[in-house]
Amino acid sequence: MGSYLHLKLIFEVMKVFKIRLLLMLSGCFLFLNSGFSQCIPFTYSRLDGNKVDATVHNSADMFWDLVNRPAYEVPKGSGLNVSFGSALWVGGLDPQGSLHVAAATYRQTGNDFYAGPYRANAQYQCGLGLQTPIECFEDGAIWLSSGKIMHLFPQGFQVYDPQTQTALVRYLPVTYTSFKGLELSSGKVLLLMWPNNTQTPSEVMVIDPNNNFAVPTADTLQYFQREAGWVELPTGKVLIIGPLGVEEYDPTTHSTTPKAARAFPSMRVEAEMLPNGKVLVTSGSNANLEIYDPLTNTWQQGPTMAMQRANYPRLTTLPLGAVMISGGNANVDYVELYDWQNNTVSTGATLPYPLGRHDVHFVGTDDVLFVYKSVSGTTAHPIKLNLISGVTTLLPYNYCSPPSISQGGQILLQNGMGTEYLFLDVITERFVNQRWQHVWKVSRAQVQQFQADFGTGTVNFLNYPDIGSWPGNGNVWAGEDAQLAPYIDVDNDGIYDPLHDGDYPCFPGDQALWWVYNDDGAHTESQSSSFPIQVEVMAYAYDCNATICPDTALDYTTFYHYEITNKSSQLYHDFYLGMWRDIDIGNYADDYVGCDTTLNIAFGYNGDANDETSAGYGLYPPAFGSLLLPNGEVDQMSGAMYYENDFSIRGNPETAQHFYGYMQSIWKDGSPLLYQGNGAPTRFVYPGDPGWCAQGGGNGGWSEVSSNNQPFDRRFLQSFGPMTVQGGESINLDMALIYARGNYNDNLGSVCELLDDATQVKNWWQNAGNQTCFNLTLAAPDSKPLTTFSVKVVPNPNSGSFWIEFQGPSKEDLTLDFVNMHGQSVYQGTIQRGQTRYFIETSDLANGIYMLQMQGKSTHSTVKVVLQ
């Protein structure tokens, strides 16, 4: 067991690799294109850096979480949501005119997108974490202190280097029955090899990683050392304890010295260095433990175990110093504890099953995990044992087997077939089959603290797991992009290396999430052929308590940057992007939708004045909008469409043509969207101004309100296109999701507030210049964003005659429009620059609620007026 303890100590020293290396490796070694479908990803994270809590899926879907509470919750902590789902749609025609669509909803009937970047040279394979052409891993694996992984097989070994993303295979001159490996404190690797012939001495080989893992000449030992135990001495020499006795091997001089013979000869020896410098050895021939003293070269008989453990037992030194003895007997389902100070053995915890060949891994300080084959040779559930309480837990996977290696809270282990490895997250008790089944989450405060720690040499990457594992570089060997998640490259070498260089993630906002997905798999959602497409997403938010924000609107806004890349070599034409949203304003069954073509926003709002039920917002319910941010590449919506949550001709899409049609504002039966339902074809549904807020349609126009529609569960889609996308070309798309609530005009005042907030957010985003991580050439910002000003209506309510009073002289000419609740203008006028008061006489108007709208070149204001 000395090798396991040595590796454990090495891992403790190499903490910096724990998360980063694991995630880098889990997406590698996919040599074969065997036609397996991709895994359905399952990872979620939460964008909760301001007053919003948005659940983000690591594939195309956002907000929808089948495990936890689904929602785009706002205000955070309220338990109320304004959206239940969001996803990207992509559609276009190839040079032959064939339609390709990749889309996602949460219909739970399929999926078109899969976690991870597109791979040019290899496919993802469901359930596989680490695969090589080598078909036998029975001889183990070593996680080297350099960060490389060495796999052993009868003909040789394979080494993978995640830093250079390359691998090499070395074949030995002789095929051995089996062998085992140990990394020495010098960084070299010692291989012990033995043949079938028990009369032939075994051999050892010292592999120098600095010599490109060249295969040297083997050294011959004195004894046949099949399945020997070994420990490294403080001198750097290695004690090899086999069936017949001990010999001391010097890896520097390549010499071996025979030591004392064993009192109880047996194979399958296990050895563990004790704190007193002696070596505890199991005996395969009886229940006696043996103790070897390297200083005196003598053996002494140890205490007797309750039963003989001859079949692959394990010795593990526990944190308090006792040695745990596990496995080795088909009739023994408990562990025993050896007390080296008193030279006694006692019975420990009972396990659910007897252990055959197995490995033992530490999980934190209080638990160990047994990865094993049952005594019958079949694979079995890993067992987690709490060392304090003695309680055992069976992990819900029964296809894992040794050999296995561990690093941090995750374990690399076989799937039972001997051909591939899986990554098991022991903390969450789930498999992380691919590097990309993850959403990276970082914050401005984390990065600042990381930079401070790096400057003082005190970085502990356990405190910065997603900075340490940030996927700045893809696995080019598997066909992934060399550069992926944006990062600050301190030494400008093109390699994300936070350990040595202090590199760190690049992102806007005070908190950000990053993930990547592709459509290179079966399209079970749209039933279409793949493109293939790669989508990289950065979601981010600003916390106005931590960052200077121009308005509280940013505290209720989240931002999304998409980079959509055509990873094929062919051109696609009539190419559309679509942003699909399920706008559920609290109670999902009573919503309206609309759009504003001047702001490039699509929005949802409540269909009546009261958002009922426990899921609803109550009186004055909010509005929620999806705003296009002009980034110099995609600056205009080409359409805004909706459909009902049913399977009518105006309901959920069911074929690729339906998805593609909705991106062009075409119903499922092929008919176009018509203005007001019976007018000319249009791409924009309900572009009028339902709240009469002096935006978009101006004096009302076509809206769900003017159409007197029945509120329902609606979904809407913003479209961008058509475009022509060359092979390898990328399209950048930037969006903002905005929540607004106005406590006036029932449900419609919130639409007015939303459009005001959208104007401020768009102008701020364009002028702030916080998009450097995306390499964008932004569209020209507005020369001067509109600002609001305060006015007072005196009296209010009134009988139709009233004064407008300003806080000071008006700084510019203002146009005045007084509109009723039907959007009709009932009074218009002009307020001259310098005026402080303006009188209106409209006593002939009917009693009711009116909106007073004033706008200049740089300022605007809207006031509710009540006539009675």
Side-chain angles (χ1 to χ4, degrees), residues 62 86 91 112 126 143 177 184 198 200 256 461 474 491 495 497 561 587 611 624 753 767 815 841:
M62 293 190 293
S86 177
D112 289 358
C126 188
W143 212 320
T177 302
L184 304 174
T198 59
T200 303
T256 181
F461 279 92
D491 64 347
I495 298 175
D497 189 354
H561 173 80
N587 176 10
D611 190 27
F624 183 61
E753 296 299 319
N767 285 280
T815 59
E841 170 58 50

Side-chain angles (χ1 to χ4, degrees), residues 224-515:
F224 174 70
Q225 296 284 20
R226 179 175 180 176
E227 296 172 344
W230 53 11
V231 295
E232 183 179 7
L233 299 173
T235 61
K237 298 179 181 179
V238 179
L239 290 180
I240 304 174
I241 306 172
L244 303 178
V246 184
E247 55 187 302
E248 184 180 86
Y249 176 74
D250 188 332
T252 302
T253 63
H254 299 272
S255 59
T256 181
T257 304
K259 295 292 184 179
R262 291 189 65 195
F264 305 100
S266 66
M267 290 191 293
R268 296 179 179 173
V269 175
E270 183 75 356
E272 180 82 337
M273 180 72 79
L274 299 172
N276 60 6
K278 298 180 181 181
V279 182
L280 180 67
V281 179
T282 58
S283 174
S285 59
N286 55 49
N288 291 331
L289 292 171
E290 298 174 86
I291 300 171
Y292 175 72
D293 188 339
L295 293 179
T296 62
N297 189 30
T298 57
W299 287 93
Q300 71 180 76
Q301 183 173 330
T304 301
M305 297 178 289
M307 294 189 70
Q308 179 182 348
R309 296 176 181 263
N311 186 20
Y312 299 110
R314 284 289 183 264
L315 301 179
T316 308
T317 299
L318 302 179
L320 296 180
V323 178
M324 180 176 66
I325 308 166
S326 56
N329 190 311
N331 299 313
V332 177
D333 61 356
Y334 54 86
V335 301
E336 295 181 76
L337 301 174
Y338 172 70
D339 183 344
W340 62 274
Q341 292 178 313
N342 298 310
N343 195 31
T344 59
V345 169
S346 60
T347 300
T350 299
L351 305 178
Y353 306 108
L355 306 182
R357 186 171 183 177
H358 68 286
D359 298 325
V360 183
H361 303 285
F362 286 93
V363 183
T365 58
D366 296 339
D367 299 286
V368 293
L369 187 79
F370 300 97
V371 178
Y372 65 101
K373 286 186 176 180
S374 68
V375 292
S376 64
T378 60
T379 57
H381 296 270
I383 300 171
K384 186 162 65 173
L385 168 65
N386 184 273
L387 299 172
I388 306 301
S389 65
V391 174
T392 59
T393 304
L394 282 175
L395 272 61
Y397 309 100
N398 63 353
Y399 49 90
C400 309
S401 69
S404 58
I405 53 179
S406 64
Q407 194 174 83
Q410 295 179 308
I411 293 175
L412 184 67
L413 68 166
Q414 285 197 109
N415 71 349
M417 296 183 290
T419 56
E420 59 261 351
Y421 278 100
L422 304 173
F423 285 92
L424 175 64
D425 187 324
V426 183
I427 305 302
T428 60
E429 298 185 358
R430 71 177 188 185
F431 282 114
V432 182
N433 295 333
Q434 300 170 3
R435 173 190 185 188
W436 303 106
Q437 287 178 333
H438 187 69
V439 176
W440 283 263
K441 181 176 181 176
V442 291
S443 70
R444 185 67 52 204
Q446 284 178 336
V447 167
Q448 290 172 347
Q449 187 60 53
F450 166 77
Q451 291 176 286
D453 290 351
F454 185 83
T456 58
T458 59
V459 173
N460 182 346
F461 279 92
L462 294 178
N463 298 328
Y464 311 105
D466 281 5
I467 294 178
S469 65
W470 187 256
N473 302 120
N475 179 5
V476 294
W477 188 35
E480 298 171 359
D481 289 339
Q483 303 297 323
L484 283 168
Y487 61 94
I488 301 300
D489 191 0
V490 174
D491 64 347
N492 200 33
D493 63 354
I495 298 175
Y496 180 72
D497 189 354
L499 170 63
H500 301 99
D501 301 337
D503 298 341
Y504 55 90
C506 183
F507 58 94
D510 295 296
Q511 184 193 76
L513 277 60
W514 188 93
W515 68 103

